[in-house]
Amino acid sequence: MTMRRRRLLTAGGGLALAGALAACGSNTGRGSGGSGPALSQWYHQYGEPGTQQAVKRYAAAYTKADVTVQWRPGDYDRQTAAALLTDSGPDVFEVNGPLLEQIQGGQVADLTDLVAPVKDDFNQAVLAPKIWQDKIWGIPQTIDTQLLYYRKSMLKDAGVQPPQTVDELVDAARTLTTSKVKGLFLGNDGGAGVLSGTPLAAAGLSLITEDGRAGFDDPAAARVLGKIRQLYAGKALLLGAPTDWSDPAAFIQGLTAMQWSGLWALPQIKKALGDDFGVLPFPKDGPAGKPAVPVGAYASAVSARSRHRAAATEFAKWLWIDRTDYQRDFALSYGFHIPARISLAKKAAQLREGAAADAVRYATDHGSAEPLLWNSADRTAYQDALSRIIKEGAHPETELKAVLRTVEAELRRAKKK
């Protein structure tokens, strides 16, 4: 499987999708050839056909600079980190996980004034992780999200209502499980890889609070993760499916009545099942709980070391602020994603009806993204603990206390920089 835009939701959540990137060169493409300065723009490798050609077309349409697009396969984050330490790195580039390190290292330009006039039009959940010390350091490009798909006919036949709480989800999965069909598919590892902080958000908690503290030092965190363990231990989960959670094949083939997957799967499910499906957020848990929808977005950033920083900033504004037609094209013509701008999502014909419209509403009303302060060490500690809780029945409170120590140490380290 080639990496797609969903990579930011999985790599950011501690999961590596099955398979590897297709091998290819850097595939550079010249821009407009205009009289302005030469700018280099980097993208990680997208898997959707047509995306590479589209971004080259956008660059070629820009007349104030000669923009070269570089398609970067392999470990994009590591490549970018190394290049930004030199004078030959990109002028404009995509960024997601390493943004805080780049901000603290003085490697990215402050884009606050650029975004300010349209700040409220961005989905605030994906904009928040691009903000540090009240300044905006990246422009969200397009949104990926995950949802709970359910088969309407299967639920109706079993007398089950679409679950609105985690307890109802557990009960529904058990009721829907038969000798031929499992009630729920959260991935072949029982959800340990994909769920990340989503259950915590459903309990009204967070990975990191807005004021920069660990957000899961609460008994509600252990309770909700214990309920995910119940699903695994109760054999209501589909395990060992031919493809993992990111592919809707198990759901389409009737191996499961409910599946957690990405918005990208919706067109394929619609084609196969017609209107016999619906989508839901991850159900809320407990009195302080709320529906949870994980969202993520790569951002366009400008290198602080660019020799043409003003021109690079102007290009980033042109492409990701001014050219709303390109933003809409990028989100919806090569795969199925939500534009980062709320106004564009509302106008998109593909997102106005049925499950797609529901998905946009859920992402807008209930979306939550990994916080800027949540780093790779935090992610690994939490991911390992979640796997032990779900698959081995480890005590949630004990596991979370160990994660808490790691996160608190990392937060102290980040704040000293």
Side-chain angles (χ1 to χ4, degrees), residues 238-387:
L238 175 64
L239 303 171
T243 57
D244 215 338
W245 68 270
S246 62
D247 190 311
F251 184 69
I252 289 171
Q253 294 169 11
L255 302 179
T256 181
M258 299 182 290
Q259 177 173 337
W260 186 254
S261 191
L263 178 65
W264 55 81
L266 195 150
Q268 190 176 346
I269 293 172
K270 175 73 174 177
K271 182 178 180 181
L273 302 180
D275 293 327
D276 188 23
F277 77 98
V279 295
L280 291 170
F282 196 89
K284 64 182 180 180
D285 187 65
K290 56 186 179 181
V293 178
V295 295
Y298 275 94
S300 184
V302 173
S303 171
R305 296 187 64 145
S306 171
R307 286 171 291 183
H308 305 290
R309 181 166 160 179
T313 302
E314 187 175 359
F315 171 69
K317 176 180 181 295
W318 174 84
L319 181 55
W320 298 112
I321 301 292
D322 300 338
R323 289 304 300 258
T324 54
D325 54 339
Y326 288 162
Q327 295 159 40
R328 186 167 51 246
D329 181 68
F330 186 72
L332 291 163
S333 297
Y334 320 98
F336 201 67
H337 314 272
I338 302 174
R341 303 273 290 274
I342 295 170
S343 61
L344 298 184
K346 289 180 177 178
K347 293 176 183 176
Q350 303 97 314
L351 302 174
R352 286 181 184 172
E353 297 180 352
D358 291 338
V360 172
R361 177 164 52 87
Y362 297 147
T364 303
D365 294 346
H366 307 301
S368 61
E370 280 198 345
L372 186 64
L373 281 164
W374 188 253
N375 66 19
S376 58
D378 302 329
R379 195 174 296 120
T380 298
Y382 177 80
Q383 182 77 22
D384 290 347
L386 187 59
S387 180

Side-chain angles (χ1 to χ4, degrees), residues 103-391:
I103 295 169
Q104 294 179 326
Q107 297 170 339
V108 290
D110 176 5
L111 303 180
T112 306
D113 292 341
L114 216 70
V115 180
V118 293
K119 178 181 178 181
D120 292 343
D121 191 38
F122 280 94
N123 181 300
Q124 296 303 295
V126 295
L127 181 62
K130 320 306 178 191
I131 298 174
W132 176 249
Q133 296 181 339
D134 298 324
K135 295 180 180 179
I136 301 171
W137 302 91
I139 309 172
Q141 297 176 172
T142 189
I143 299 172
D144 267 326
T145 187
Q146 297 164 8
L147 300 154
L148 180 65
Y149 290 87
Y150 65 94
R151 191 77 172 265
K152 292 180 179 179
S153 59
M154 287 186 177
L155 268 66
K156 182 179 179 181
D157 291 345
V160 172
Q161 294 296 316
Q164 303 299 313
T165 68
V166 174
D167 288 331
E168 290 180 5
L169 178 66
V170 173
D171 290 341
R174 288 172 175 168
T175 302
L176 291 162
T177 296
T178 68
S179 59
K180 296 182 179 179
V181 177
K182 289 292 187 179
L184 178 62
F185 185 37
L186 296 175
N188 284 324
D189 60 0
V194 66
L195 290 180
S196 188
T198 302
L200 301 181
L205 305 174
S206 60
L207 295 169
I208 306 289
T209 64
E210 291 183 3
D211 59 354
R213 296 179 294 106
F216 53 91
D217 187 11
D218 189 296
R223 283 198 297 269
V224 71
L225 296 186
K227 292 175 183 179
I228 308 302
R229 165 61 185 175
Q230 290 178 30
L231 284 165
Y232 187 93
K235 303 188 183 303
L237 296 181
L238 175 64
L239 303 171
T243 57
D244 215 338
W245 68 270
S246 62
D247 190 311
F251 184 69
I252 289 171
Q253 294 169 11
L255 302 179
T256 181
M258 299 182 290
Q259 177 173 337
W260 186 254
S261 191
L263 178 65
W264 55 81
L266 195 150
Q268 190 176 346
I269 293 172
K270 175 73 174 177
K271 182 178 180 181
L273 302 180
D275 293 327
D276 188 23
F277 77 98
V279 295
L280 291 170
F282 196 89
K284 64 182 180 180
D285 187 65
K290 56 186 179 181
V293 178
V295 295
Y298 275 94
S300 184
V302 173
S303 171
R305 296 187 64 145
S306 171
R307 286 171 291 183
H308 305 290
R309 181 166 160 179
T313 302
E314 187 175 359
F315 171 69
K317 176 180 181 295
W318 174 84
L319 181 55
W320 298 112
I321 301 292
D322 300 338
R323 289 304 300 258
T324 54
D325 54 339
Y326 288 162
Q327 295 159 40
R328 186 167 51 246
D329 181 68
F330 186 72
L332 291 163
S333 297
Y334 320 98
F336 201 67
H337 314 272
I338 302 174
R341 303 273 290 274
I342 295 170
S343 61
L344 298 184
K346 289 180 177 178
K347 293 176 183 176
Q350 303 97 314
L351 302 174
R352 286 181 184 172
E353 297 180 352
D358 291 338
V360 172
R361 177 164 52 87
Y362 297 147
T364 303
D365 294 346
H366 307 301
S368 61
E370 280 198 345
L372 186 64
L373 281 164
W374 188 253
N375 66 19
S376 58
D378 302 329
R379 195 174 296 120
T380 298
Y382 177 80
Q383 182 77 22
D384 290 347
L386 187 59
S387 180
R388 288 190 291 268
I389 292 168
I390 294 175
K391 300 173 70 174

